[in-house]
Structures are given as C-alpha cells and as structure tokens.
Amino acid sequence: MRMAELSERSGVPIATIKWWRRQGLLPPGQRTAPNQAEYDSSHLARLRLLSVLRDLVDLPTATIAEIVAALDDDDAPLHEVVGTAHGALAHGEGGSGRALAFVDELLDEHDWQVATDAPARHDLARTIDALHGFGREVTVDGLRPHVEAAERVAEAEVEATPIDRDRDDVVTDVVVGTILYDQVLSALRRLAHEHASARRWRGQ
Amino acid sequence: MRMAELSERSGVPIATIKWWRRQGLLPPGQRTAPNQAEYDSSHLARLRLLSVLRDLVDLPTATIAEIVAALDDDDAPLHEVVGTAHGALAHGEGGSGRALAFVDELLDEHDWQVATDAPARHDLARTIDALHGFGREVTVDGLRPHVEAAERVAEAEVEATPIDRDRDDVVTDVVVGTILYDQVLSALRRLAHEHASARRWRGQ
C-alpha cells in the first residue's frame, strides 16, 4: 500500500509517519519509483506498536527507539529483547545499599533467577527506600502476597504467549504483553483496592 | 525548626520548599516574627510525601496538588481520599464501549463493588483495546490470574494499614501505600517475568 493508505488504515497522520521514518523507528518501504514506496502489513504492525508505546504508555521517543532497535536486531535472543522492554519501564539506577541487599534476600528466598543488573531491582529498591522514609516496615514475609501474585501472573503470561510463530510476531507480542499487562495489573489492583477499602473504611 | 533546618533534615532545597509553599502544597509554619516561621514534624512529613510523588512517581504538580487537597480536606472520608490517589495514577477517560462492557462483566464475575466512574475502569478498558489492536484476545478466564493476584495484594495491603491512629497519619499512609505498592508490584512482576521467560526462551 502507499503511504496515504498506511496512514488511513493505522490512524496515524502522514506527518507522524514521516517523522518516525526519519527517526528510523519505521523501516523503509519498498521503493517502486523515485518518489514512491510500498508499505505492507509489517509497517502497519509497527505503527500500531509505536502508537501504543507513545500514547498509552507515555514513553519518550528515545526509549521507544531502544525498544525498536532491540526488536529489529535479529541476533538478539528473545529474553534479551524482553530485558530491553523491562529497561524501558524502569525508572533508572538507585536504591540504598540496604534496600538493594533486601531485594537480593527477597529474590533468594523465592529462588528467582534474575540478572544482577536487572533494572527492576533498582526500581524495587528505590520504592522500598521511599516506604522506609514513611516509616513503613518492609519484610520478606510482608511482601509474600506481592511476590506470589507477581510470580503467578508472570507464569500465566509467559505460558499464554505462543512461540511457534514468526520471530518478529513473537518478539512484538512479548514486548507488548510485558508492557500492557503491567497496566492491566495496575488497573486491576486499583479496582481491587477500591472494593477492599470501601468495605473497610466506609464511614471513617 | 526554622526553614534552614527543615531543608537540611528533608534534603529538599530551600528554593523548592518556598515554591511548594507558594503553590499551597506545604502548609504555612507558625509565624514567630515578621520574617520568620517555625516548622514541625508535620512539615517534614509533607515534604517527604511531595518529594516521593514528584521524584519517584513522576507526578506533575497539578496532580500532586489534587492529592494534597484531598489529604487536607478533613471532611473527606478515607475511601474518597484513596479514590483521589487512584485518580492521580490514572491515565484519563477512554476505552471503547466493547472494552468498558468487558470490564463490567469482569467485575461482576468476581463480585467486586467498584464505583461506575472509577478511573481505573477506563485505564483497564484502554489497555484492553490496545491488546485487541495487537490481535490479543482478552477473556474473563484469561485474566483470572491477574484478578486473583490483584485481589490478594489489595486485601493484604488494606489489612496491613493500621487505622487506629491520627487521621492525618492514616490518610498519608493509605495514599503512600496505594501509590508505592503499585510500583512494588510492577517491579516484582518484571523480575518474575525475567525469571520465567529466561527459563522458557533461553536460546531462542
């Protein structure tokens, strides 16, 4: 299809498509004339991914570029691409030595194999520091519901991802699932909170 | 304490404290001379809250102001303040009629009592629309692990919040817990994913 149709079918304005092309986020089409190119369903799929990452997850362009680069690297093993998507969701380095040591202890206790440089370790440690700052104690036992909940949903998500398909589809699926199910769980937790706390606190 | 000490003990620069004062996010101190005021531990606690909301959760000032206004409204019932904190975590209106109807069905199935205007309903619906856009089917059964996980952590969190204390402390605690445990769960899910997916996909 030509760019006009690509824009119409994806709902992405032509100016945005051109900008993403220039940024290298969208691969080039098949050139059919000096000033004309043909696009296919892979371009449509990529535009859908870019739109979600930008509009729903509010990721900055630089982060989207990192994810796309990992997607486009055919040599990257799948779990590395997932690692990149995780990195994109992370807030950066940080966490006190005490909190990082607690995260180690927590992962050991549950026998989780996680790279020592996984960005989520730092996110968890920073959040634990913040909870300490408010005088909230955080213990391995106190976090058991969270660890078990996280384990359960992660296993279900990994199981639900079909891997006997084209690599590109699998990779996009895994990245999208990783990011979107983070939002599913967050929204559900807030709904569950409302249900649980209205019951407990109504009238207080 | 004077403002210099407040700054030193909170780690918040004096310029930032003054700016938050002018925005009404930090209540005034006790005036002891025309150009001098005394601050106490409640100001320290507020600065800690403001720092976390800005730096760790990356909330815009307008959203922080909404949360603080709810905190400072002594007439607001606790579960309403929690609702405001949830609103602050939400991404706004949206979701197709089909996705919103699915969210209704999901909540009914699990017998959750949630206000029809709860912002997390829209977040969930928008995310489900995005998953549909990538050809991912979302079913009540497929989301059972997520719903049960969310229910379990929300109940544990609500149970773990002591409510036989000063209202201000309880409210801050509930808001902080609501927001920070969202990050705890998100980080744990990503760690669990790494554990689960490295096992399944290593070498692919």
Side-chain angles (χ1 to χ4, degrees), chain B residues 43-78:
Chain B
H43 296 92
L44 258 185
R46 174 58 57 90
L47 288 179
R48 199 175 295 126
L49 176 65
L50 295 173
S51 302
V52 163
L53 295 180
R54 188 195 54 180
D55 299 333
L56 196 70
V57 194
D58 293 329
L59 290 183
T61 301
T63 308
I64 296 177
E66 270 177 52
I67 295 179
V68 164
L71 282 177
D72 287 344
D73 176 2
D74 289 336
D75 294 332
L78 251 181

XYZ file of all heavy atoms in Angstrom, chain B residues 43-78:
273
model
N 5.433 19.246 58.767
C 6.003 19.811 57.540
C 7.047 18.876 56.933
O 7.131 18.728 55.715
C 6.617 21.190 57.820
C 5.606 22.211 58.252
N 5.311 22.433 59.578
C 4.804 23.030 57.530
C 4.364 23.368 59.654
N 4.030 23.747 58.426
N 7.821 18.256 57.816
C 8.810 17.281 57.339
C 8.112 16.142 56.604
O 8.538 15.716 55.524
C 9.571 16.690 58.534
C 10.968 17.199 58.844
C 11.561 16.391 59.986
C 11.867 17.119 57.612
N 7.022 15.662 57.209
C 6.288 14.538 56.607
C 5.716 14.943 55.253
O 5.770 14.184 54.280
C 5.172 14.083 57.546
N 5.180 16.180 55.172
C 4.612 16.645 53.912
C 5.691 16.751 52.827
O 5.470 16.368 51.677
C 3.917 18.000 54.131
C 3.395 18.672 52.866
C 2.394 17.828 52.094
N 1.243 17.429 52.862
C 0.104 18.112 52.966
N -0.018 19.263 52.338
N -0.896 17.658 53.675
N 6.877 17.256 53.207
C 7.965 17.374 52.229
C 8.389 16.007 51.720
O 8.694 15.822 50.535
C 9.178 18.095 52.843
C 9.017 19.599 53.074
C 10.281 20.169 53.713
C 8.734 20.316 51.750
N 8.376 15.018 52.609
C 8.729 13.660 52.197
C 7.717 13.159 51.168
O 8.076 12.593 50.142
C 8.758 12.758 53.436
C 9.522 11.487 53.212
C 9.633 10.674 54.496
N 10.393 11.319 55.525
C 9.968 11.554 56.769
N 8.745 11.183 57.148
N 10.734 12.155 57.649
N 6.441 13.409 51.450
C 5.381 12.989 50.523
C 5.547 13.678 49.164
O 5.511 13.044 48.107
C 4.012 13.315 51.117
C 2.810 13.021 50.219
C 2.677 11.530 49.963
C 1.517 13.562 50.839
N 5.745 14.994 49.197
C 5.872 15.743 47.939
C 7.071 15.246 47.135
O 6.990 15.099 45.906
C 6.012 17.249 48.234
C 4.801 17.936 48.892
C 5.140 19.377 49.280
C 3.588 17.899 47.961
N 8.177 14.965 47.816
C 9.383 14.501 47.117
C 9.128 13.171 46.431
O 9.541 12.952 45.287
C 10.552 14.336 48.095
O 10.814 15.548 48.736
N 8.464 12.269 47.151
C 8.207 10.941 46.573
C 7.281 11.055 45.372
O 7.508 10.457 44.322
C 7.616 9.987 47.632
C 6.965 8.789 46.976
C 8.702 9.534 48.580
N 6.221 11.851 45.507
C 5.262 11.965 44.411
C 5.918 12.573 43.177
O 5.633 12.187 42.049
C 4.056 12.805 44.837
C 3.183 12.205 45.947
C 2.032 13.137 46.281
C 2.663 10.820 45.582
N 6.836 13.520 43.405
C 7.479 14.169 42.268
C 8.604 13.311 41.678
O 8.658 13.091 40.469
C 8.044 15.523 42.697
C 8.547 16.348 41.529
C 9.410 17.489 42.006
N 10.487 17.000 42.862
C 11.405 17.765 43.431
N 11.369 19.067 43.283
N 12.362 17.239 44.174
N 9.489 12.794 42.544
C 10.708 12.153 42.040
C 10.528 10.674 41.723
O 11.072 10.179 40.753
C 11.848 12.305 43.048
C 12.164 13.764 43.291
O 11.913 14.570 42.380
O 12.645 14.085 44.385
N 9.775 9.979 42.573
C 9.701 8.532 42.381
C 8.543 8.166 41.465
O 8.633 7.272 40.645
C 9.550 7.850 43.744
C 9.845 6.363 43.774
C 11.317 6.101 43.572
C 9.376 5.741 45.078
N 7.432 8.900 41.611
C 6.254 8.549 40.825
C 6.133 9.451 39.593
O 5.333 9.194 38.698
C 4.985 8.627 41.711
C 3.817 7.945 41.038
C 5.225 8.002 43.064
N 6.975 10.511 39.545
C 6.973 11.425 38.393
C 5.628 12.093 38.149
O 5.239 12.304 36.998
C 7.382 10.686 37.101
C 8.838 10.248 37.136
O 9.628 10.949 37.772
O 9.156 9.223 36.522
N 4.886 12.398 39.211
C 3.590 13.052 39.019
C 3.781 14.535 38.733
O 4.649 15.179 39.320
C 2.730 12.905 40.279
C 2.200 11.515 40.615
C 1.306 11.588 41.852
C 1.428 10.925 39.449
N 2.956 15.098 37.827
C 3.002 16.544 37.597
C 2.451 17.297 38.817
O 1.675 16.745 39.597
C 2.102 16.741 36.379
C 1.280 15.511 36.271
C 2.007 14.402 36.962
N 2.861 18.566 38.939
C 2.489 19.369 40.102
C 0.974 19.457 40.281
O 0.459 19.383 41.401
C 3.067 20.799 39.984
O 4.487 20.681 39.877
C 2.736 21.637 41.201
N 0.234 19.582 39.169
C -1.226 19.719 39.280
C -1.832 18.481 39.944
O -2.765 18.582 40.750
C -1.838 19.929 37.893
N -1.296 17.314 39.610
C -1.808 16.075 40.190
C -1.452 15.984 41.669
O -2.267 15.569 42.504
C -1.227 14.866 39.428
O -1.451 15.058 38.041
C -1.870 13.585 39.874
N -0.222 16.384 41.988
C 0.194 16.391 43.393
C -0.717 17.330 44.187
O -1.135 17.018 45.308
C 1.675 16.827 43.512
C 2.581 15.795 42.819
C 2.078 17.006 44.967
C 4.053 16.158 42.802
N -1.059 18.461 43.577
C -1.927 19.426 44.265
C -3.292 18.800 44.572
O -3.863 19.032 45.645
C -2.093 20.674 43.407
N -3.819 17.997 43.643
C -5.108 17.328 43.875
C -5.031 16.379 45.065
O -5.943 16.323 45.900
C -5.466 16.457 42.660
C -6.276 17.143 41.589
C -6.487 16.180 40.422
O -6.939 15.048 40.648
O -6.160 16.579 39.288
N -3.951 15.611 45.115
C -3.795 14.649 46.215
C -3.696 15.388 47.543
O -4.338 15.030 48.532
C -2.543 13.774 45.988
C -2.737 12.910 44.743
C -2.244 12.904 47.207
C -1.555 12.032 44.419
N -2.893 16.445 47.553
C -2.689 17.206 48.787
C -3.997 17.857 49.239
O -4.315 17.877 50.435
C -1.578 18.256 48.562
C -1.597 19.310 49.651
C -0.220 17.562 48.512
N -4.777 18.352 48.284
C -6.060 18.979 48.647
C -6.977 17.949 49.306
O -7.666 18.240 50.286
C -6.726 19.574 47.397
N -6.957 16.727 48.774
C -7.786 15.674 49.367
C -7.279 15.334 50.766
O -8.065 15.127 51.701
C -7.782 14.431 48.473
N -5.959 15.287 50.927
C -5.365 14.998 52.237
C -5.768 16.059 53.261
O -6.037 15.759 54.420
C -3.837 14.992 52.145
C -3.144 13.765 51.567
C -1.644 14.002 51.497
C -3.419 12.554 52.440
N -5.775 17.318 52.801
C -6.011 18.435 53.722
C -7.493 18.663 54.002
O -7.830 19.472 54.864
C -5.387 19.718 53.145
C -3.865 19.685 53.236
O -3.347 18.848 54.003
O -3.213 20.489 52.549
N -8.368 17.974 53.269
C -9.804 18.153 53.481
C -10.264 17.207 54.600
O -10.498 16.024 54.377
C -10.555 17.847 52.178
C -12.064 17.930 52.360
O -12.523 18.269 53.483
O -12.788 17.663 51.388
N -10.374 17.764 55.808
C -10.665 16.927 56.980
C -12.032 16.263 56.897
O -12.312 15.305 57.612
C -10.592 17.761 58.265
C -9.162 18.150 58.588
O -8.251 17.435 58.121
O -8.961 19.159 59.285
N -12.901 16.808 56.027
C -14.251 16.244 55.939
C -14.337 15.064 54.951
O -15.358 14.381 54.916
C -15.245 17.317 55.485
C -15.371 18.398 56.552
O -15.168 18.064 57.737
O -15.649 19.551 56.191
N -13.288 14.884 54.156
C -13.361 13.820 53.142
C -13.217 12.459 53.815
O -12.277 12.233 54.563
C -12.255 14.012 52.112
N -14.165 11.534 53.557
C -13.993 10.194 54.118
C -12.766 9.523 53.501
O -12.408 9.804 52.351
C -15.274 9.456 53.735
C -16.061 10.361 52.869
C -15.378 11.676 52.766
N -12.162 8.641 54.291
C -10.918 7.992 53.874
C -10.978 7.373 52.479
O -10.067 7.544 51.674
C -10.583 6.887 54.873
C -9.402 7.149 55.793
C -9.193 5.946 56.687
C -8.161 7.434 54.984
